[in-house]
Every structure is written in structure tokens, then in C-alpha cells.
Amino acid sequence: MVGEGSLSAKDNTLRAELPDTSRVLRLLNPQDAVTHANAVYQPLNGPIAWSSKIDIDFDAVEAMMLKQERLYKNQKAEYGDMAEIWDVIQNAMNWLVVYDPEKDRAVTPVARPWAYGWGGREPGGYILFCWDNFFASYMHAIESKELAYNEAVQMCREIKKLGFVPNFAAPGGLKSRDRSQPPVGSLMVMGVYNRYGEDWFLETVFDDLLTWNRWWSENRDHDGYLCWGSNPFDPVAGDKREGVQNEFKAASNESGLDNTPMYDEVPFDTTEHLLEMADVGLMGLYIADCKVLAHMADILERPKAKQELTERAGRYENKLKTLWDDEFGMFLNKRTDTGELSRRISPTNLYPLIAGAATREQAERMVQEHFYNPDEFWGEWILPSIARNDTGYTGRDYWRGSIWAPMNFLVYLGFQNYDLPQARADLAEKSKALLLKQWREERNVRENYHAETGGDPGARSNPFYHWGALLGMINLIEHGQVGSPMQVFD
């Protein structure tokens, strides 16, 4: 950690004095610059270069930048018709990498303002969200093996401390010790591994991911079904957000779908610490998690772990199959207190496809009767986060209708398990159109999008949030530019 120090300025030079070292930065093109006290003021009317090297000038820095620009353009050109999509993803991911001085590491918070806010509005802030940052690992893998590995390893380190990946983790020990978030970690790790094929990476994260997998069955099981939840804990950081625990809001936040209408009026059991709803989205992702980890165990020659995971996948898959409603043609969430099936549906009701739990006939019905249904999910802009005919649908209020890239991405992965080429192509094309609309108009990669206009929902949608780029990842997979995490199911 950096201790006390001082900063001074003289002759267009900044000098930082620290307890054990000093650093000097020179302004290489000081035209119109003014030095005053501990600052150098430079008009932003042209290129500016600073350097800590003595034997370098502005022309040398400019030459280095131009060289990197040429390399970037060459990489972009390799993606052909998908070059603009690649460019969007690279901008989204690389701009959001920051340094965390608390743990001396690089991480990729979801958005710069979020990092600043969760960091107490102090330099060095960051915020890591569970499923967001596993998605970031997979997206980094397109061009940076190192950043991809780092992001996954940093998230798995949280498991060593808690037994699960928390919903959020921020500076000062602030994290959600009561709840996790959707279990997409092993899927995204598999996507990274499929690209680089280095077994040591799987060795590094496998035991942690297995621990997290066991945590779900030990903490979120009700009569063989999985439900979202929140366990009570003693606050550690003294932050008011730690008080949101063992209650409905915390359990809904664990789902990642904070204010979704799917859970409106569903009770929360403070004794079992569970939302009283068997959730097909969670079960679909969890079964896929078991199957992917079993595949990893096979690669790593861990037969006992493979057997354990295969058995657990089968057990939950059998329970998930009981949630199929043949009249409605969909897997439906089920109230665990009343036994009633809920017809309040979102794209998460398609997640059993990710697990491969649906029959071919069921998959085709879900696509034809719901995905392509304009009263529910189909339209110019897709996929709304709750069916359009739901009474809670607004098209813009966060998870009450806005379009979210991770939902499109996960549904697309589910489609890959089945012979659904037209649905895959349509979802890819519409996701591309949604991403590029805001990118071309505003250079935005949004947290979520208005389901009726394809633009800014007007509230609670950060304009530059990395998982918005998952809309582009769908297209890179569809056009064979990037391998899919679902290759394990081939």
C-alpha cells in the first residue's frame, strides 16, 4: 500500500515523493502549459504526452501510439463483417479495466461511475458483481488471455473466503455475505478454456467453482427445487447495504433481476432464508453448471468429482422436468408454499434449454409459442426482461421490461443445444441491431435498453456498462469468430 507522500510541480514536471521512492513525470509538449504549485495546467486543444522516461520525446511517443493504432486496426480487420462488433466489445472492455490499490490488482468494474460510487467517491474504488464479471472474463478472452484469466481468478478468490461468489464486492471488505448471483461462472470459464486450452487455468479455479456449486444445493434447496435466497450474517464493513439480508429484496437481488415482476407478491421465508418460489431459470443455469464442471473434472482426471456432479445434475434435471406445463408450453416457476405454477414469464423461463433439460418438442414449442410471440417476447427490439403482456411490463423500468444483454446471451446459448438455426440467427441479428443502434448514435454500450425504442430507457441504465457488449458476443459466436461455452454439450 502507498503511504504518505507529497506532490510538487516545477518547469512542466510533476514530482511525487513517497516514503520509499520517487517518481518524475515530464510534459513532453509544453506549449501554453502553466506550472503552478503542485499542478501543471495544459489546454486540451491538441495531443498531450507525459513520460517518466528521460530519453524520450513527443515524436517517439506519437510514433508508439501510431504503431499501436495500426496493430489495432489490423486486428479489427481480421473480423471482416463483424469488425464493428469486435470494436465495440474492445472499447467496452478495455476502457473499464482499473487498478485496485487495496489488493494490488487489475479488475474490470461494470462501469466507471459505479466503481467511483461503490468506492466511497474516492480514488481506487471498484465494484465487482458476480455474474457481470464472469461475463467480463469471457469477453476479455477475445484478445487478452491475461485479462480473461485474471478476471475469473479474482472472482474465484471470493469463493475461498465465503464459499460462494458474492452478489457484490467492493473496497473495505464490503460484500454481500448473505447471497450470491446466477451461477454462470463455470460456463464462462469453459468459454475461456475453449479458446486457449491451458489445463493449469482449470486446475486453478476448479476446486473453488466446485465449492460454489455445492453451496447452492446446501443453501438454496427446497424439496429438491432451487430457490433464490439470502442468509443472515453479522455486518463487517458497517455499511447500510449490509442490512439488506434475510428478506425479499436481498433474495430478489440474488437472482440478478432486482425488481422483476416475476416475484411480485411471492413471500420470503425468513426461517429457511428462501424466496418461496422454485425458479426454473436458476435450475437451468445450475444444471448446466453441474454438467460443465463434470466436463472439467473429466479433463482434469477427477473421477469422484465427475460422478458427484453428474449425479447432482441428474437429480435436479428430474425435478426441473416436473415444472413443464404442457398446456402453456413452457417451464414455469412454482410457488413452494401453495404449489401453484406462475405464468408470469421472462426470458429466464427459457434457461432450461441451457441445461439441455427440454425435449426437442418442448424446445420447439417454447420457441414458436413464446420466443416468436409478439405479445410476449418478439418484436422489433428483443428480448424484454418480462413478457410484454405482463401487468408489470413497462418496457423501460429496469427488469420490468427493459432489454438486458445477458438475457439475450444466455437464451442464445440455450438455443445452441437444439436444432434451432432460425431462432439463433434471428436473436443474433436483432441483438446486433440493438447494440449498434446506440453505439452509432451515441457511442454507448448500455446497461439495459428501452424495449420499445431500442434506446435509452430514461432511468437506471448506465450508458457504458460492459455486459451490454454481450449483444455483440452473440454475433461473434453465431458467425464462428469466437468459440462458445456450449461446446462442452456437443
Side-chain angles (χ1 to χ4, degrees), residues 33 46 58 111 157 221 235 237 254 293 363 387 399 410 447 461-462 470 490:
F58 177 82
R157 283 179 178 173
D221 184 292
E254 182 173 71
L293 285 172
W399 295 96
L410 290 170
E447 178 185 1
S461 176
N462 189 279
L470 288 169
D490 290 346

Side-chain angles (χ1 to χ4, degrees), residues 145-219:
K145 177 172 66 175
E146 293 78 13
L147 286 174
Y149 285 170
N150 174 72
E151 206 70 34
V153 169
Q154 296 301 335
M155 299 310 294
C156 286
R157 283 179 178 173
E158 297 291 344
I159 302 172
K160 295 182 187 298
K161 302 168 186 175
L162 300 175
F164 61 95
V165 182
N167 173 179
F168 64 80
L174 174 60
K175 59 189 67 177
S176 55
R177 290 172 166 82
D178 63 309
R179 63 185 184 270
S180 188
Q181 266 197 324
V184 301
S186 62
L187 263 174
M188 297 305 102
V189 164
M190 201 69 227
V192 176
Y193 175 80
N194 287 344
R195 189 163 181 86
Y196 296 109
E198 297 183 356
D199 288 359
W200 74 264
F201 173 56
L202 292 189
E203 288 277 10
T204 301
V205 299
F206 178 79
D207 286 327
D208 294 327
L209 291 171
L210 178 58
T211 296
W212 187 25
N213 180 276
R214 290 167 175 162
W215 179 87
W216 287 102
S217 63
E218 293 167 359
N219 291 271

